[in-house]
Amino acid sequence: MSLVRLNIKGISYSQTQNGAYALILNEEEGDRKLPIVIGAFEAQSIAIALEKEIKPPRPLTHDLFKNFSDRFNIVIKQVIIHKLVDGVFYSSLICEREGKEEIIDARTSDAIALALRFNAPIFTYKNILDKAGIYLKAEEKQQKKEDLEEDIISEELLRDDIEMFSDDDGSDYKKMSLEELKELLSKAVTQEDYEKAARIRDEISKRK
């Protein structure tokens, strides 16, 4: 069976499962999307890995796995979404240590969170994409492209499971200098307030 490479297109709230998220993957050489329902923790971990300007001061679980693997010279070479049963995707980590390859079973959400940290490619089999892949309508495809290519991480995602500052609506950021914003961004990341950091990051991006 032939493999199809996938890229992460975006993350959004799941419309079918309360408290879950939909991870959208798209085939690299085609228009089909592969939506996968994942949990809030895994969604946040993927979001933080995608966001280059936000670095947690302490390692998340997937960061810890990466640090552990680096210490023992284990490399994840690729991730393969290899099976779909009753709506559940099954994945494998293709790992290598000292020239020896090993295959490890993993939940798809964990596998993708780790693939991002190892810069490993993500694949699925063509028959799985044929079965579960979807085409977006033309107008939806254009809107998705414009929205997600600019910033695939929504503030709603980074807000999940993070303490909120209800009186912080971002209006004061417009009055701050670029240096003040960068200093505030650093403090927000240190305090692990990623939702606030996301708003500050967005204000900084507007000025570049």
Side-chain angles (χ1 to χ4, degrees):
M1 291 182 289
S2 59
L3 288 171
V4 179
R5 183 161 181 173
L6 302 171
N7 296 317
I8 298 174
K9 195 64 177 175
I11 306 173
S12 64
Y13 281 114
S14 172
Q15 301 299 314
T16 59
Q17 295 189 29
N18 188 34
Y21 292 85
L23 171 66
I24 309 300
L25 305 174
N26 70 280
E27 57 179 330
E28 190 169 71
E29 298 181 0
D31 296 324
R32 286 178 295 182
K33 316 299 179 192
L34 190 66
I36 300 174
V37 176
I38 62 177
F41 172 78
E42 291 78 10
Q44 188 178 58
S45 180
I46 290 170
I48 290 173
L50 287 166
E51 180 50 64
K52 305 303 181 184
E53 293 184 24
I54 297 179
K55 301 294 184 184
R58 295 176 297 172
L60 302 178
T61 302
H62 297 109
D63 298 319
L64 179 60
F65 185 95
K66 175 64 163 61
N67 295 339
F68 178 89
S69 300
D70 288 345
R71 183 65 60 90
F72 292 96
N73 300 316
I74 300 169
V75 177
I76 294 178
K77 306 295 289 185
Q78 61 183 4
V79 164
I80 299 178
I81 303 172
H82 64 84
K83 186 167 64 173
L84 173 61
V85 179
D86 296 330
V88 178
F89 292 90
Y90 293 77
S91 296
S92 296
L93 304 174
I94 312 302
C95 306
E96 184 178 271
R97 181 173 184 265
E98 297 179 351
K100 183 178 180 181
E101 187 174 277
E102 298 285 352
I103 300 176
I104 301 175
D105 181 52
R107 296 188 305 168
T108 297
S109 54
D110 289 328
I112 291 175
L114 291 172
L116 285 169
R117 288 163 170 81
F118 283 86
N119 293 316
I122 303 166
F123 296 94
T124 192
Y125 290 110
K126 183 179 181 298
N127 65 324
I128 292 178
L129 197 57
D130 290 340
K131 182 178 179 180
I134 61 173
Y135 286 97
L136 296 177
K137 295 179 181 178
E139 59 270 20
E140 291 176 338
K141 286 168 60 178
Q142 182 61 29
Q143 186 63 44
K144 289 284 185 180
K145 182 177 180 181
E146 293 174 356
D147 291 345
L148 297 174
E149 283 185 353
E150 180 178 351
D151 186 0
I152 61 178
I153 313 259
S154 69
E155 291 184 10
E156 290 181 342
L157 175 59
L158 292 176
R159 183 158 54 238
D160 194 69
D161 291 334
I162 297 174
E163 181 179 355
M164 291 290 296
F165 287 77
S166 58
D167 59 343
D168 180 9
D169 61 2
S171 59
D172 290 339
Y173 299 152
K174 296 180 176 63
K175 304 174 185 178
M176 296 182 178
S177 68
L178 192 58
E179 288 187 0
E180 289 174 327
L181 287 171
K182 289 180 178 179
E183 182 178 352
L184 198 62
L185 175 62
S186 177
K187 289 181 179 179
V189 172
T190 300
Q191 295 169 357
E192 300 186 50
D193 184 2
Y194 303 125
E195 187 273 339
K196 183 176 181 180
R199 290 202 299 269
I200 299 169
R201 175 213 62 205
D202 290 343
E203 179 62 30
I204 292 174
S205 297
K206 292 176 184 177
R207 302 189 188 189
K208 291 182 179 179

